[in-house]
Amino acid sequence: MDLESSPFHHLLDTNHAPSRAEAEHIHKHLCLPEQELQTIDEEIARLDTLLHNHRSRREKAVSYIHKHRRLLSPIHRIPPEIIAELFTYCLPSAHPPTRDLSEAPLLLTLVCKQWREIAFRTPYLWSSLHIYIPSTRVSDKEFMDRRKNGIKQWLERSGNSPISLSL
């Protein structure tokens, strides 16, 4: 469909108002292009559906491969006891651990389910804690309750290990 091949080419992009006969002729002339447009739209819709299905299949294949490749990761061959021992070397050396998610041991619990379980089952990681309570928050009951609960959980994870606290 080339605009220059249209019998109305000379009238396109003008302010010409077609007569009744011209309007009827234009309507008849548009039947074939409108059918072609409908065919193209239907093909695009079919291709969109096909593309959506292919994308969905691709995502499933990528997920399947990724999950299986993770099994081949060398970390999965290291026994949990060795990982727990390595975790102890992640604890801050300059100060006792705090309840900061960006530092060990809490940071280790955010990596994956396996690391979280190993960290929670390693009492030594939880045997030392620095407790900081800003003087401006002492009267904030909700803050103090959260802090108390967090400290309680921390200490429970320490099991029978000797505990070292700093305030």
Side-chain angles (χ1 to χ4, degrees):
M1 261 178 271
D2 183 18
L3 289 176
E4 294 189 18
S5 66
S6 167
F8 304 99
H9 173 70
H10 65 286
L11 299 176
L12 300 175
D13 297 324
T14 69
N15 290 331
H16 176 75
S19 66
R20 194 173 286 202
E22 286 175 321
E24 193 173 303
H25 189 204
I26 292 170
H27 279 294
K28 286 179 184 176
H29 178 72
L30 289 178
C31 284
L32 188 60
E34 286 172 342
Q35 285 176 348
E36 185 175 350
L37 178 61
Q38 183 177 353
T39 300
I40 292 169
D41 286 344
E42 288 168 359
E43 190 171 336
I44 288 171
R46 185 181 62 76
L47 290 173
D48 279 345
T49 301
L50 188 63
L51 182 60
H52 174 75
N53 290 341
H54 283 333
R55 281 191 177 134
S56 177
R57 285 178 48 213
R58 182 185 187 285
E59 288 172 11
K60 286 178 184 175
V62 165
S63 174
Y64 184 89
I65 291 167
H66 179 73
K67 287 177 187 270
H68 283 78
R69 283 205 175 135
R70 277 195 346 223
L71 291 174
L72 300 174
S73 173
I75 192 73
H76 290 286
R77 291 191 293 274
I78 300 174
E81 299 79 22
I82 302 297
I83 294 173
E85 181 66 24
L86 292 172
F87 284 178
T88 65
Y89 292 98
C90 297
L91 292 172
S93 57
H95 57 82
T98 63
R99 295 182 60 244
D100 185 346
L101 290 173
S102 67
E103 289 185 349
L106 288 177
L107 177 63
L108 300 169
T109 68
L110 301 177
V111 174
C112 66
K113 181 180 177 183
Q114 180 191 16
W115 282 27
R116 182 174 35 261
E117 290 170 358
I118 293 170
F120 286 161
R121 289 191 320 252
T122 308
Y124 180 77
L125 296 177
W126 312 97
S127 65
S128 181
L129 175 63
H130 175 73
I131 301 170
Y132 173 70
I133 300 174
S135 59
T136 57
R137 304 292 300 269
V138 171
S139 60
D140 182 344
K141 182 175 175 10
E142 186 179 321
F143 172 83
M144 292 302 288
D145 285 344
R146 281 195 319 269
R147 184 60 54 103
K148 182 177 76 173
N149 289 334
I151 293 168
K152 181 179 178 220
Q153 285 179 333
W154 188 289
L155 297 176
E156 286 171 353
R157 291 179 190 138
S158 71
N160 294 327
S161 298
I163 297 173
S164 172
L165 296 176
S166 68
L167 302 172

mmCIF file of all heavy atoms in Angstrom, residues 82-95 97 102-108 111 115 124-125:
data_model
loop_
_atom_site.group_PDB
_atom_site.id
_atom_site.type_symbol
_atom_site.label_atom_id
_atom_site.label_comp_id
_atom_site.label_asym_id
_atom_site.label_seq_id
_atom_site.Cartn_x
_atom_site.Cartn_y
_atom_site.Cartn_z
ATOM 1 N N ILE A 82 31.999 -27.091 58.824
ATOM 2 C CA ILE A 82 33.086 -26.243 58.310
ATOM 3 C C ILE A 82 32.560 -24.834 58.044
ATOM 4 O O ILE A 82 33.215 -23.836 58.361
ATOM 5 C CB ILE A 82 33.697 -26.846 57.020
ATOM 6 C CG1 ILE A 82 34.234 -28.249 57.276
ATOM 7 C CG2 ILE A 82 34.766 -25.929 56.436
ATOM 8 C CD1 ILE A 82 35.368 -28.318 58.273
ATOM 9 N N ILE A 83 31.366 -24.749 57.497
ATOM 10 C CA ILE A 83 30.759 -23.436 57.247
ATOM 11 C C ILE A 83 30.581 -22.699 58.574
ATOM 12 O O ILE A 83 30.896 -21.504 58.681
ATOM 13 C CB ILE A 83 29.413 -23.573 56.493
ATOM 14 C CG1 ILE A 83 29.647 -24.132 55.087
ATOM 15 C CG2 ILE A 83 28.693 -22.229 56.416
ATOM 16 C CD1 ILE A 83 28.381 -24.456 54.319
ATOM 17 N N ALA A 84 30.110 -23.398 59.588
ATOM 18 C CA ALA A 84 29.929 -22.777 60.911
ATOM 19 C C ALA A 84 31.262 -22.254 61.427
ATOM 20 O O ALA A 84 31.330 -21.144 61.977
ATOM 21 C CB ALA A 84 29.327 -23.782 61.892
ATOM 22 N N GLU A 85 32.317 -23.029 61.243
ATOM 23 C CA GLU A 85 33.646 -22.590 61.681
ATOM 24 C C GLU A 85 34.082 -21.339 60.903
ATOM 25 O O GLU A 85 34.617 -20.386 61.482
ATOM 26 C CB GLU A 85 34.667 -23.722 61.489
ATOM 27 C CG GLU A 85 36.065 -23.374 61.924
ATOM 28 C CD GLU A 85 36.214 -23.151 63.426
ATOM 29 O OE1 GLU A 85 35.388 -23.672 64.199
ATOM 30 O OE2 GLU A 85 37.154 -22.448 63.815
ATOM 31 N N LEU A 86 33.820 -21.338 59.612
ATOM 32 C CA LEU A 86 34.163 -20.160 58.799
ATOM 33 C C LEU A 86 33.371 -18.933 59.255
ATOM 34 O O LEU A 86 33.895 -17.816 59.251
ATOM 35 C CB LEU A 86 33.894 -20.440 57.316
ATOM 36 C CG LEU A 86 34.802 -21.474 56.657
ATOM 37 C CD1 LEU A 86 34.306 -21.795 55.257
ATOM 38 C CD2 LEU A 86 36.242 -20.987 56.626
ATOM 39 N N PHE A 87 32.129 -19.146 59.645
ATOM 40 C CA PHE A 87 31.300 -18.041 60.123
ATOM 41 C C PHE A 87 31.942 -17.341 61.319
ATOM 42 O O PHE A 87 31.819 -16.122 61.465
ATOM 43 C CB PHE A 87 29.903 -18.528 60.507
ATOM 44 C CG PHE A 87 28.984 -18.812 59.350
ATOM 45 C CD1 PHE A 87 27.699 -19.290 59.568
ATOM 46 C CD2 PHE A 87 29.377 -18.603 58.033
ATOM 47 C CE1 PHE A 87 26.833 -19.539 58.520
ATOM 48 C CE2 PHE A 87 28.520 -18.853 56.975
ATOM 49 C CZ PHE A 87 27.246 -19.330 57.226
ATOM 50 N N THR A 88 32.598 -18.102 62.165
ATOM 51 C CA THR A 88 33.187 -17.477 63.360
ATOM 52 C C THR A 88 34.273 -16.471 62.972
ATOM 53 O O THR A 88 34.514 -15.518 63.703
ATOM 54 C CB THR A 88 33.765 -18.535 64.322
ATOM 55 O OG1 THR A 88 34.857 -19.212 63.688
ATOM 56 C CG2 THR A 88 32.698 -19.523 64.763
ATOM 57 N N TYR A 89 34.903 -16.679 61.818
ATOM 58 C CA TYR A 89 35.929 -15.742 61.352
ATOM 59 C C TYR A 89 35.314 -14.483 60.715
ATOM 60 O O TYR A 89 36.027 -13.539 60.412
ATOM 61 C CB TYR A 89 36.867 -16.421 60.356
ATOM 62 C CG TYR A 89 37.717 -17.475 61.009
ATOM 63 C CD1 TYR A 89 37.362 -18.820 60.937
ATOM 64 C CD2 TYR A 89 38.858 -17.127 61.724
ATOM 65 C CE1 TYR A 89 38.121 -19.795 61.543
ATOM 66 C CE2 TYR A 89 39.632 -18.094 62.345
ATOM 67 C CZ TYR A 89 39.255 -19.423 62.254
ATOM 68 O OH TYR A 89 40.023 -20.380 62.869
ATOM 69 N N CYS A 90 34.022 -14.503 60.535
ATOM 70 C CA CYS A 90 33.324 -13.341 59.962
ATOM 71 C C CYS A 90 32.899 -12.336 61.029
ATOM 72 O O CYS A 90 32.522 -11.206 60.700
ATOM 73 C CB CYS A 90 32.075 -13.797 59.201
ATOM 74 S SG CYS A 90 32.423 -14.843 57.792
ATOM 75 N N LEU A 91 32.945 -12.734 62.279
ATOM 76 C CA LEU A 91 32.535 -11.831 63.361
ATOM 77 C C LEU A 91 33.474 -10.625 63.401
ATOM 78 O O LEU A 91 34.667 -10.752 63.107
ATOM 79 C CB LEU A 91 32.566 -12.559 64.704
ATOM 80 C CG LEU A 91 31.523 -13.659 64.882
ATOM 81 C CD1 LEU A 91 31.789 -14.438 66.164
ATOM 82 C CD2 LEU A 91 30.120 -13.091 64.868
ATOM 83 N N PRO A 92 32.940 -9.467 63.732
ATOM 84 C CA PRO A 92 33.808 -8.286 63.807
ATOM 85 C C PRO A 92 34.908 -8.486 64.849
ATOM 86 O O PRO A 92 34.666 -9.047 65.918
ATOM 87 C CB PRO A 92 32.854 -7.155 64.188
ATOM 88 C CG PRO A 92 31.586 -7.797 64.612
ATOM 89 C CD PRO A 92 31.558 -9.190 64.102
ATOM 90 N N SER A 93 36.120 -8.045 64.521
ATOM 91 C CA SER A 93 37.245 -8.218 65.456
ATOM 92 C C SER A 93 37.504 -6.964 66.278
ATOM 93 O O SER A 93 38.087 -7.034 67.357
ATOM 94 C CB SER A 93 38.510 -8.603 64.688
ATOM 95 O OG SER A 93 38.804 -7.615 63.714
ATOM 96 N N ALA A 94 37.034 -5.816 65.790
ATOM 97 C CA ALA A 94 37.320 -4.554 66.481
ATOM 98 C C ALA A 94 36.343 -4.266 67.617
ATOM 99 O O ALA A 94 36.619 -3.435 68.472
ATOM 100 C CB ALA A 94 37.297 -3.406 65.482
ATOM 101 N N HIS A 95 35.197 -4.944 67.606
ATOM 102 C CA HIS A 95 34.173 -4.681 68.625
ATOM 103 C C HIS A 95 33.260 -5.900 68.731
ATOM 104 O O HIS A 95 33.217 -6.722 67.810
ATOM 105 C CB HIS A 95 33.363 -3.425 68.267
ATOM 106 C CG HIS A 95 32.707 -3.521 66.917
ATOM 107 N ND1 HIS A 95 31.525 -4.176 66.713
ATOM 108 C CD2 HIS A 95 33.090 -3.043 65.699
ATOM 109 C CE1 HIS A 95 31.189 -4.100 65.429
ATOM 110 N NE2 HIS A 95 32.130 -3.427 64.788
ATOM 111 N N PRO A 97 29.885 -8.046 68.419
ATOM 112 C CA PRO A 97 28.801 -7.939 67.441
ATOM 113 C C PRO A 97 27.648 -7.087 67.973
ATOM 114 O O PRO A 97 27.409 -7.021 69.184
ATOM 115 C CB PRO A 97 28.341 -9.381 67.238
ATOM 116 C CG PRO A 97 29.464 -10.223 67.706
ATOM 117 C CD PRO A 97 30.160 -9.436 68.779
ATOM 118 N N SER A 102 23.999 -5.400 58.743
ATOM 119 C CA SER A 102 25.094 -5.310 57.773
ATOM 120 C C SER A 102 26.371 -5.964 58.291
ATOM 121 O O SER A 102 27.407 -5.883 57.638
ATOM 122 C CB SER A 102 25.353 -3.848 57.396
ATOM 123 O OG SER A 102 25.867 -3.140 58.511
ATOM 124 N N GLU A 103 26.307 -6.590 59.471
ATOM 125 C CA GLU A 103 27.474 -7.258 60.047
ATOM 126 C C GLU A 103 27.102 -8.676 60.475
ATOM 127 O O GLU A 103 25.949 -8.967 60.777
ATOM 128 C CB GLU A 103 27.964 -6.514 61.300
ATOM 129 C CG GLU A 103 28.614 -5.185 61.047
ATOM 130 C CD GLU A 103 29.188 -4.577 62.327
ATOM 131 O OE1 GLU A 103 28.896 -5.083 63.444
ATOM 132 O OE2 GLU A 103 29.921 -3.600 62.211
ATOM 133 N N ALA A 104 28.145 -9.528 60.542
ATOM 134 C CA ALA A 104 27.948 -10.868 61.096
ATOM 135 C C ALA A 104 27.656 -10.723 62.588
ATOM 136 O O ALA A 104 28.127 -9.782 63.208
ATOM 137 C CB ALA A 104 29.201 -11.711 60.866
ATOM 138 N N PRO A 105 26.866 -11.583 63.141
ATOM 139 C CA PRO A 105 26.302 -12.780 62.543
ATOM 140 C C PRO A 105 24.978 -12.560 61.806
ATOM 141 O O PRO A 105 24.587 -13.409 61.000
ATOM 142 C CB PRO A 105 26.099 -13.701 63.743
ATOM 143 C CG PRO A 105 25.803 -12.783 64.875
ATOM 144 C CD PRO A 105 26.655 -11.561 64.608
ATOM 145 N N LEU A 106 24.295 -11.451 62.035
ATOM 146 C CA LEU A 106 22.985 -11.268 61.400
ATOM 147 C C LEU A 106 23.084 -11.256 59.876
ATOM 148 O O LEU A 106 22.213 -11.805 59.190
ATOM 149 C CB LEU A 106 22.299 -9.995 61.903
ATOM 150 C CG LEU A 106 21.772 -10.060 63.335
ATOM 151 C CD1 LEU A 106 21.179 -8.720 63.750
ATOM 152 C CD2 LEU A 106 20.741 -11.163 63.489
ATOM 153 N N LEU A 107 24.137 -10.667 59.340
ATOM 154 C CA LEU A 107 24.304 -10.624 57.888
ATOM 155 C C LEU A 107 24.330 -12.038 57.303
ATOM 156 O O LEU A 107 23.761 -12.293 56.245
ATOM 157 C CB LEU A 107 25.596 -9.879 57.536
ATOM 158 C CG LEU A 107 25.952 -9.802 56.060
ATOM 159 C CD1 LEU A 107 24.884 -9.033 55.297
ATOM 160 C CD2 LEU A 107 27.310 -9.149 55.878
ATOM 161 N N LEU A 108 24.956 -12.967 57.987
ATOM 162 C CA LEU A 108 25.047 -14.346 57.505
ATOM 163 C C LEU A 108 23.678 -15.007 57.397
ATOM 164 O O LEU A 108 23.472 -15.882 56.567
ATOM 165 C CB LEU A 108 25.952 -15.164 58.434
ATOM 166 C CG LEU A 108 27.394 -14.664 58.562
ATOM 167 C CD1 LEU A 108 28.103 -15.383 59.693
ATOM 168 C CD2 LEU A 108 28.133 -14.817 57.248
ATOM 169 N N VAL A 111 21.780 -14.536 53.809
ATOM 170 C CA VAL A 111 22.307 -15.033 52.540
ATOM 171 C C VAL A 111 21.389 -16.080 51.916
ATOM 172 O O VAL A 111 20.986 -15.954 50.763
ATOM 173 C CB VAL A 111 23.738 -15.591 52.716
ATOM 174 C CG1 VAL A 111 24.242 -16.248 51.441
ATOM 175 C CG2 VAL A 111 24.678 -14.471 53.155
ATOM 176 N N TRP A 115 22.399 -21.080 55.175
ATOM 177 C CA TRP A 115 23.292 -20.282 56.019
ATOM 178 C C TRP A 115 22.557 -19.793 57.266
ATOM 179 O O TRP A 115 23.125 -19.711 58.335
ATOM 180 C CB TRP A 115 23.868 -19.118 55.234
ATOM 181 C CG TRP A 115 24.988 -19.512 54.320
ATOM 182 C CD1 TRP A 115 25.200 -20.724 53.750
ATOM 183 C CD2 TRP A 115 26.056 -18.669 53.899
ATOM 184 N NE1 TRP A 115 26.336 -20.692 52.977
ATOM 185 C CE2 TRP A 115 26.880 -19.445 53.049
ATOM 186 C CE3 TRP A 115 26.385 -17.347 54.126
ATOM 187 C CZ2 TRP A 115 28.012 -18.925 52.440
ATOM 188 C CZ3 TRP A 115 27.520 -16.829 53.524
ATOM 189 C CH2 TRP A 115 28.324 -17.610 52.695
ATOM 190 N N TYR A 124 28.342 -20.118 69.261
ATOM 191 C CA TYR A 124 29.463 -19.189 69.433
ATOM 192 C C TYR A 124 29.196 -17.839 68.751
ATOM 193 O O TYR A 124 29.613 -16.795 69.242
ATOM 194 C CB TYR A 124 30.761 -19.804 68.887
ATOM 195 C CG TYR A 124 31.943 -18.885 69.034
ATOM 196 C CD1 TYR A 124 32.563 -18.718 70.279
ATOM 197 C CD2 TYR A 124 32.426 -18.156 67.954
ATOM 198 C CE1 TYR A 124 33.634 -17.851 70.429
ATOM 199 C CE2 TYR A 124 33.492 -17.294 68.090
ATOM 200 C CZ TYR A 124 34.100 -17.143 69.335
ATOM 201 O OH TYR A 124 35.144 -16.279 69.482
ATOM 202 N N LEU A 125 28.476 -17.858 67.633
ATOM 203 C CA LEU A 125 28.177 -16.608 66.910
ATOM 204 C C LEU A 125 27.347 -15.645 67.757
ATOM 205 O O LEU A 125 27.361 -14.437 67.534
ATOM 206 C CB LEU A 125 27.425 -16.910 65.610
ATOM 207 C CG LEU A 125 28.158 -17.713 64.544
ATOM 208 C CD1 LEU A 125 27.228 -17.970 63.365
ATOM 209 C CD2 LEU A 125 29.418 -17.001 64.093
#
